[in-house]
Amino acid sequence: MYLQKLEIQGFKSFAQKTSMEFNREIAAVVGPNGSGKSNIADAIRWVMGEQSLKLLRGKKSEDVIFSGSDKKARLGMAEVSLFINNEDGNMPIDYPEVVITRRYYRNGEGEYLLNKQKVRLQDIVLLLAKSNFGQRSYSVIGQGMIDSILTSTPQERKEFFDEAAGVRQFQIKREQAEQKMIRTKENLQQAELLLQEIEPRLRSLTRQVKRLEKRETIEQDLRVIQKEYFSNLWKDLSDQLNQLKQEQTTTDKQHQESSNSLKIIQQKLEQLELETSREEMFRQLQRDYNRILDEKNGLLQEQAVLKGRWEIETTQAGQANRVWLTKRAEALQRLVNEISEDLKPLESVIDITQQSLDKKKQAQSKVIKQFEEIEKSLFLARERLESRPSLQLPEIKEHLEEISNRYDAFIIKLNKAETSDDINRLKRSAREISQSLASYVKEVGRSAPSTTTEQVLKLQNEFSDFLKNKDSLVNEINDQVVKLRTLQEKRTVLMDKRSEVKDEVDRLQNEIARMDRDSKEPDNAQGKFEQDHRELNKKIADLDKQLKTSREKITQFNQEEQQKKDHLFGLQKKFRDHQNSLNSITQKLNEQRVQQARLETRHDDLDREMKDELPEVVYSEIKNNFNNLVGENSSSVLLDKIHQIKRQLDLIGGIDEGITEEFNQTDERYNFLRAQSDDLIQALNSLEKAIAELDETIIKQFNQSFNRINKEFNNYFKMLFKGGSSKLILHKSDILADDEDDLEEDEDDDEEKETSEKPKQKVVGKVVTGIEIQATPPGKRLSNINVLSGGEKALTSIALVCAIISNNPSPFVVLDEVDAALDEANSIKFASILDKLSHKTQFITITHNRATMHKASILYGVTMQADNVSKLLSVKMEEAEEVINKQGNR
């Protein structure tokens, strides 16, 4: 593991990004004073986590950022990256190359990166300690640090030797363990205080929970009984509601059908009302008829004038009788024609009435057939009832035979019924039969199965419905029969009258013909009169035809209007019937809805009572599975048991239901705190054991490293001074502890005697508190290193540093002008020592000595330009020697 590359940007005088690449051999950095060479050592120290501004040669944190010059503006960030080759895996991290980066912004924010991932400073320090880097000691030895090694106090020198001995990482772990132990003790103390506070409350809660458990046992018994009790009530109400809903569904269907029929009839009535009036058509027909009648009257006047002249002439001729007979015959013929005209519409009305009557009689036949079916059903029901042994009582048989005989008589009367009086009598008979039948059904219901009783009741309802339909039908038939007979009698009277008038007309015409035969004188005036009379009669006959046609149109129009009126009246009657039926169904539906509302209210009340009395789980179970929970016990018995158990619960007293939850929480918290306390005690023991192991490891490794460093220090001292002696001396102090277990108390002493003596203490161990350095150059006898000259101090410090590097080499060592105080001869010795140690560690030296430069394989030159920015010039000595060998020494 070695330093492979160093990147600097914005750090002090290195404003631009600067890269320095190294290998395992010695690298030297040279340059004039003030060019920024030492800034490289500061950058390495800074990126390794140095927090001391004094060692970084600054006063403020932002002093590490390039502050600018006359020609270049200041920067806002400083960044240094350390590229370490970790192919040998000596650094405990799974990367072949480890890049440690530190950034600092002028606004005061900073961050550490490990392979471009943000980490903490503590992570960097621990990683470097495990990798044998010395942050404050020999990894980076700056200007003045050589002298400070000797001039520092033994206690300060101890920190330097801790890193040199490689125990710094264990010391860091020990410090972390001590901090954890302090926090653990604080947490343990808090946990014990909480346990002392919770324990009395837990005991009280335990007693209450035992009472609650007894109460819960009784409540479980109560839940079982309540489950059966409420299941019975819920099932009864649910069955009643379901049955009522089924009945209501049937009634709703009937109501809907009746409403639809009523709407259809209403639409037809509205359609008839919206039809356009035909009054104008009737007026036109009337005008045509009057016009033809006026023409006929004109001809009749002309005929009358002609007849008048003819009558005068005939009377003057002595034929006055003939004139009278002619007038009488014509008057009677007109009467015959009028009667014939009146008979035609009458025949049409008779045919229509006869057809309507036939339809009503067909409907009556269907009703009679239905009645026969009811009779058959009643007969079968009677046979089934008589076939049962329990129904063989004489009074029931007599009652049944009496009802049957009365029913047979009712059927005979029904077939013969024609008038409304007959229907009224039949109504009374039907009510009597119905009452008898109801009484019979009630008696049979006590012994007969429910199915037979229900059949009889159904037949009774059908019988009642039939009576209503029969009453209406018989009334309609009677009305049609009366109307038809009236029309037929009117037709007979008209036909008889027409026959009599025709006979009289024939007699008069025969008399006139006889008188014409008796008259022998020819009369020209008579011939002309007859000719004119025939022409007028012909015209009158044509007009009569037209009048007939007009009267037929008027009659047809009147018939159509009458049919419309009859249809309208029929629809109105039908509308009233359907409205009455709808009102009855609506009333029945309203009663069902009221009953349903009552049941639903009871159902809701029961639901609320169940919610109040039962837990949610039991409540849901009853609602979802009440059929399987219904028991054999009656509701009253179950209710008495519920009251008894509730009285027992009242004797126990009320306990807050949240006490169990509070107990569980308190118990859980107590157990948790107890477990945490045990864990903390165990953690304390583990930490104490770990600290003891770390102390043992630190002491062992420190002693071993110290002995080796002491030996190597003497060797390098003799090498540099060509003789003399040197050694390191440990300063140890006793560790004192209070031993209260061994103190003996004198119980016989006077209780009023007061003492202020401190408790006795004993030595439990020794600890190294400092390191003293003794150095005696050859030919001298010195007791204090402070009397050494500057060069002797520098050589002694260098000997000590070399001994440390030889014993515990760091992956790389940065030497910042440590050889500045050496003369040329000692510089050569120092360079030789570096060359020998270079196989153990990597050296990066900042120097002005040629001997050190001569041992370097890479040479970096640092220059300072006019913009106060440091720049690098690099030379690889092997490549330079090859060039010199090729081109010759110039």
Side-chain angles (χ1 to χ4, degrees):
M1 182 172 60
Y2 63 95
L3 178 59
Q4 183 174 338
K5 187 170 67 172
L6 177 66
E7 287 186 355
I8 306 173
Q9 183 179 2
F11 185 84
K12 291 191 175 182
S13 60
F14 289 91
Q16 299 177 353
K17 186 174 183 180
T18 303
S19 297
M20 302 177 68
E21 296 184 356
F22 306 98
N23 53 26
R24 292 182 180 272
E25 299 177 357
I26 299 174
V29 180
V30 300
N33 291 331
S35 61
K37 300 187 301 299
S38 296
N39 290 340
I40 296 175
D42 293 341
I44 295 175
R45 190 189 302 274
W46 184 70
V47 75
M48 292 173 65
E50 180 59 61
Q51 301 297 312
S52 174
L53 294 176
K54 182 178 179 181
L55 290 176
L56 296 173
R57 299 181 299 153
K59 293 182 179 181
K60 297 183 295 183
S61 297
E62 63 181 19
D63 289 342
V64 300
I65 306 174
F66 178 71
S67 59
S69 63
D70 295 339
K71 295 183 179 182
K72 190 171 182 64
R74 69 174 186 174
L75 300 180
M77 179 194 72
E79 178 179 339
V80 178
S81 296
L82 208 62
F83 293 79
I84 300 174
N85 189 307
N86 189 36
E87 293 178 354
D88 55 3
N90 288 336
M91 183 175 285
I93 188 170
D94 295 333
Y95 290 102
E97 182 181 69
V98 179
V99 182
I100 300 174
T101 304
R102 182 177 181 182
R103 294 193 189 118
Y104 185 78
Y105 299 91
R106 196 171 289 277
N107 60 3
E109 296 180 359
E111 58 185 357
Y112 290 89
L113 303 175
L114 183 62
N115 285 3
K116 298 182 180 181
Q117 299 294 326
K118 287 186 177 183
V119 293
R120 300 174 301 170
L121 171 61
Q122 185 178 1
D123 299 329
I124 298 294
V125 172
L126 185 59
L127 179 63
L128 293 176
K130 290 180 179 180
S131 305
N132 207 23
F133 283 97
Q135 179 188 16
R136 291 178 173 268
S137 58
Y138 60 94
S139 292
V140 180
I141 301 176
Q143 297 177 2
M145 186 175 290
I146 291 295
D147 295 335
S148 66
I149 293 175
L150 298 179
T151 58
S152 59
T153 63
Q155 289 77 16
E156 294 174 348
R157 202 178 291 127
K158 170 68 169 55
E159 297 180 1
F160 181 83
F161 274 87
D162 286 339
E163 291 188 359
V167 297
R168 183 58 183 162
Q169 58 173 322
F170 302 111
Q171 290 177 339
I172 293 174
K173 290 182 179 179
R174 190 184 188 283
E175 292 174 358
Q176 293 176 350
E178 287 179 344
Q179 294 297 324
K180 288 182 180 178
M181 189 165 64
I182 292 172
R183 292 194 297 271
T184 302
K185 288 181 179 179
E186 293 175 353
N187 293 334
L188 180 60
Q189 184 178 4
Q190 293 178 0
E192 291 296 336
L193 290 175
L194 290 174
L195 286 172
Q196 294 175 6
E197 179 183 352
I198 292 174
E199 193 169 2
R201 178 59 179 167
L202 182 61
R203 288 195 297 268
S204 175
L205 291 175
T206 303
R207 291 192 297 269
Q208 296 185 48
V209 166
K210 289 182 180 179
R211 291 176 58 198
L212 185 61
E213 289 175 353
K214 181 179 179 181
R215 182 183 180 89
E216 288 177 350
T217 302
I218 299 176
E219 286 179 346
Q220 288 178 358
D221 298 336
L222 177 62
R223 295 290 177 262
V224 174
I225 299 175
Q226 284 180 331
K227 188 185 296 184
E228 183 179 357
Y229 172 71
F230 286 114
S231 297
N232 293 342
L233 294 181
W234 190 268
K235 184 177 185 304
D236 292 341
L237 282 177
S238 299
D239 293 342
Q240 294 179 22
L241 274 173
N242 292 333
Q243 182 179 358
L244 185 61
K245 287 179 180 179
Q246 292 177 358
E247 295 176 358
Q248 189 175 355
T249 301
T250 304
T251 308
D252 283 334
K253 186 177 179 181
Q254 296 175 355
H255 185 273
Q256 186 65 31
E257 292 176 355
S258 180
S259 297
N260 293 335
S261 301
L262 195 64
K263 288 180 181 179
I264 293 172
I265 296 173
Q266 189 173 3
Q267 290 175 357
K268 291 180 180 179
L269 289 173
E270 292 175 354
Q271 186 177 0
L272 289 175
E273 292 177 357
L274 293 175
E275 286 184 358
T276 56
S277 177
R278 297 176 36 158
E279 183 178 358
E280 184 63 29
M281 184 182 295
F282 177 77
R283 291 177 180 177
Q284 182 63 36
L285 292 174
Q286 192 69 32
R287 284 195 295 271
D288 293 341
Y289 179 80
N290 292 332
R291 177 181 56 79
I292 297 171
L293 187 60
D294 291 339
E295 292 180 0
K296 180 181 178 182
N297 290 333
L299 292 176
L300 288 175
Q301 289 178 0
E302 185 178 353
Q303 188 181 36
V305 171
L306 181 62
K307 283 183 178 182
R309 286 199 303 267
W310 176 76
E311 289 176 357
I312 292 171
E313 293 176 356
T314 304
T315 302
Q316 292 176 355
Q319 297 181 355
N321 291 333
R322 189 179 185 282
V323 173
W324 182 86
L325 291 174
T326 301
K327 287 183 179 181
R328 179 63 178 168
E330 289 177 353
L332 292 176
Q333 185 61 42
R334 286 194 299 271
L335 181 60
V336 170
N337 293 336
E338 290 177 357
I339 292 172
S340 298
E341 293 295 329
D342 292 338
L343 281 173
K344 289 180 180 181
L346 186 61
E347 291 288 345
S348 177
V349 173
I350 290 173
D351 293 338
I352 293 173
T353 305
Q354 185 64 45
Q355 292 176 1
S356 176
L357 182 61
D358 294 339
K359 290 181 180 179
K360 299 293 183 181
K361 288 183 177 180
Q362 291 177 1
Q364 187 181 22
S365 300
K366 291 182 180 180
V367 172
I368 292 172
K369 185 177 181 181
Q370 291 177 359
F371 225 81
E372 291 175 354
E373 292 177 356
I374 296 174
E375 179 185 15
K376 184 177 179 181
S377 300
L378 283 173
F379 180 75
L380 293 175
R382 183 178 63 184
E383 287 183 349
R384 285 195 296 270
L385 291 173
E386 290 177 351
S387 64
R388 296 185 178 275
S390 59
L391 301 178
Q392 297 300 322
L393 299 174
E395 57 270 16
I396 296 178
K397 292 180 64 176
E398 293 177 1
H399 194 65
L400 187 63
E401 290 176 356
E402 180 184 357
I403 293 174
S404 178
N405 294 332
R406 292 171 65 184
Y407 178 76
D408 293 338
F410 175 81
I411 294 298
I412 295 173
K413 293 179 181 179
L414 180 64
N415 293 329
K416 294 181 179 180
E418 292 182 355
T419 63
S420 59
D421 294 336
D422 295 335
I423 295 301
N424 292 329
R425 286 193 296 272
L426 287 175
K427 283 183 180 180
R428 289 191 295 273
S429 299
R431 281 195 294 271
E432 293 175 357
I433 294 173
S434 177
Q435 292 174 358
S436 300
L437 185 60
S439 177
Y440 170 74
V441 170
K442 187 179 296 184
E443 293 179 2
V444 171
R446 298 189 184 97
S447 58
S450 60
T451 53
T452 305
T453 305
E454 292 176 356
Q455 292 176 358
V456 174
L457 290 174
K458 183 178 180 181
L459 292 174
Q460 182 181 0
N461 293 331
E462 292 179 358
F463 182 76
S464 299
D465 295 338
F466 165 78
L467 286 178
K468 295 179 182 178
N469 296 331
K470 181 63 178 176
D471 292 344
S472 176
L473 187 61
V474 169
N475 290 333
E476 292 178 359
I477 291 174
N478 291 333
D479 293 341
Q480 293 293 331
V481 169
V482 171
K483 181 179 179 181
L484 181 62
R485 288 179 179 177
T486 303
L487 293 174
Q488 288 175 349
E489 290 176 359
K490 183 177 180 180
R491 181 182 62 180
T492 301
V493 170
L494 290 175
M495 291 179 67
D496 293 342
K497 184 177 180 180
R498 185 180 64 177
S499 178
E500 292 176 0
V501 172
K502 276 186 177 182
D503 292 342
E504 181 66 20
V505 169
D506 292 339
R507 186 182 65 77
L508 291 175
Q509 288 179 352
N510 292 330
E511 182 67 21
I512 291 170
R514 183 186 61 78
M515 292 179 67
D516 289 339
R517 287 193 301 270
D518 292 340
S519 176
K520 297 181 181 179
E521 293 180 4
D523 189 353
N524 293 329
Q526 180 68 25
K528 186 176 183 304
F529 168 76
E530 291 179 356
Q531 182 179 358
D532 293 339
H533 186 70
R534 282 194 300 271
E535 290 178 357
L536 288 174
N537 285 337
K538 184 177 180 181
K539 291 179 180 180
I540 291 172
D542 292 338
L543 290 175
D544 287 338
K545 291 180 180 179
Q546 293 179 12
L547 285 173
K548 180 181 179 181
T549 302
S550 181
R551 279 196 302 271
E552 289 177 353
K553 288 181 180 181
I554 292 174
T555 302
Q556 183 180 0
F557 179 83
N558 292 330
Q559 290 177 353
E560 291 176 357
E561 291 297 319
Q562 185 63 36
Q563 290 177 357
K564 286 184 179 181
K565 289 181 180 180
D566 294 340
H567 182 60
L568 178 61
F569 294 152
L571 287 177
Q572 290 175 346
K573 185 177 183 301
K574 195 173 182 181
F575 181 82
R576 289 192 298 273
D577 294 339
H578 278 77
Q579 185 66 50
N580 293 332
S581 176
L582 181 62
N583 293 336
S584 301
I585 295 173
T586 303
Q587 183 179 0
K588 182 179 179 181
L589 183 61
N590 292 334
E591 292 175 355
Q592 291 176 348
R593 288 175 178 172
V594 171
Q595 182 66 18
Q596 181 182 3
R598 292 173 181 171
L599 292 176
E600 288 178 350
T601 301
R602 291 172 56 192
H603 197 272
D604 294 338
D605 293 339
L606 180 61
D607 185 74
R608 283 192 295 271
E609 184 179 0
M610 288 167 58
K611 283 184 178 179
D612 296 337
E613 293 285 337
L614 301 176
E616 182 66 26
V617 177
V618 179
Y619 169 76
S620 303
E621 183 181 4
I622 292 176
K623 292 194 70 175
N624 298 328
N625 196 24
F626 62 87
N627 287 322
N628 298 328
L629 300 177
V630 175
E632 297 179 356
N633 296 321
S634 64
S635 298
S636 59
V637 174
L638 294 174
L639 186 60
D640 293 337
K641 291 182 179 180
I642 290 173
H643 291 327
Q644 293 176 2
I645 294 176
K646 285 186 175 181
R647 282 194 293 271
Q648 294 179 7
L649 292 175
D650 293 337
L651 293 176
I652 294 175
I655 300 177
D656 186 7
E657 295 180 356
I659 202 70
T660 302
E661 182 179 357
E662 185 180 357
F663 169 77
N664 293 332
Q665 293 176 355
T666 306
D667 186 61
E668 181 181 359
R669 181 167 175 76
Y670 181 82
N671 294 330
F672 172 76
L673 291 173
R674 177 55 63 190
Q676 292 293 316
S677 179
D678 295 340
D679 292 342
L680 289 172
I681 294 173
Q682 185 178 358
L684 278 176
N685 296 331
S686 300
L687 288 172
E688 291 175 353
K689 183 178 179 180
I691 290 173
E693 292 176 353
L694 287 171
D695 288 340
E696 184 180 354
T697 302
I698 290 171
I699 293 172
K700 182 179 179 180
Q701 184 168 338
F702 182 83
N703 291 334
Q704 292 175 355
S705 298
F706 180 80
N707 292 331
R708 288 194 299 267
I709 293 172
N710 197 5
K711 182 179 179 182
E712 293 293 334
F713 175 49
N714 190 36
N715 292 334
Y716 282 108
F717 185 84
K718 290 179 179 180
M719 185 184 299
L720 289 173
F721 284 93
K722 293 182 180 183
S725 64
S726 63
K727 65 178 180 179
L728 302 173
I729 300 173
L730 294 177
H731 284 187
K732 295 184 179 181
S733 299
D734 295 335
I735 301 177
L736 302 177
D738 294 337
D739 193 1
E740 298 177 355
D741 296 335
D742 295 335
L743 294 177
E744 297 180 357
E745 298 179 359
D746 188 2
E747 299 180 355
D748 298 331
D749 292 343
D750 187 7
E751 294 181 357
E752 297 180 356
K753 182 180 178 181
E754 297 182 358
T755 179
S756 60
E757 295 180 358
K758 297 181 178 179
K760 297 181 180 180
Q761 293 180 329
K762 70 175 182 178
V763 178
V764 296
K766 291 183 177 293
V767 63
V768 178
T769 58
I771 297 175
E772 187 68 42
I773 300 175
Q774 289 185 358
T776 305
K780 295 183 179 181
R781 297 182 68 179
L782 302 175
S783 60
N784 193 342
I785 60 173
N786 291 326
V787 300
L788 294 175
S789 65
E792 289 173 340
K793 290 181 179 179
L795 289 175
T796 302
S797 299
I798 291 172
L800 182 57
V801 170
C802 292
I804 292 172
I805 294 172
S806 177
N807 172 69
N808 187 22
S810 177
F812 66 86
V813 177
V814 179
L815 303 175
D816 184 10
E817 297 185 16
V818 297
D819 56 356
L822 301 180
D823 55 15
E824 186 173 357
N826 288 323
S827 296
I828 294 172
K829 294 177 183 180
F830 174 70
S832 299
I833 293 173
L834 290 183
D835 190 29
K836 290 178 181 179
L837 293 175
S838 63
H839 69 281
K840 291 186 176 182
T841 185
Q842 177 188 12
F843 286 103
I844 301 171
T845 65
I846 300 172
T847 183
H848 294 285
N849 290 328
R850 289 177 294 174
T852 305
M853 297 179 195
H854 181 69
K855 297 296 182 179
S857 62
I858 297 175
L859 189 63
Y860 281 99
V862 181
T863 63
M864 178 72 73
Q865 297 182 356
D867 54 359
N868 291 332
V869 176
S870 298
K871 291 189 178 181
L872 287 180
L873 298 174
S874 62
V875 177
K876 290 186 177 181
M877 302 307 294
E878 293 179 356
E879 295 177 359
E881 289 177 357
E882 290 178 2
V883 173
I884 292 172
N885 292 333
K886 289 181 181 180
Q887 297 182 0
N889 189 355
R890 297 183 181 178

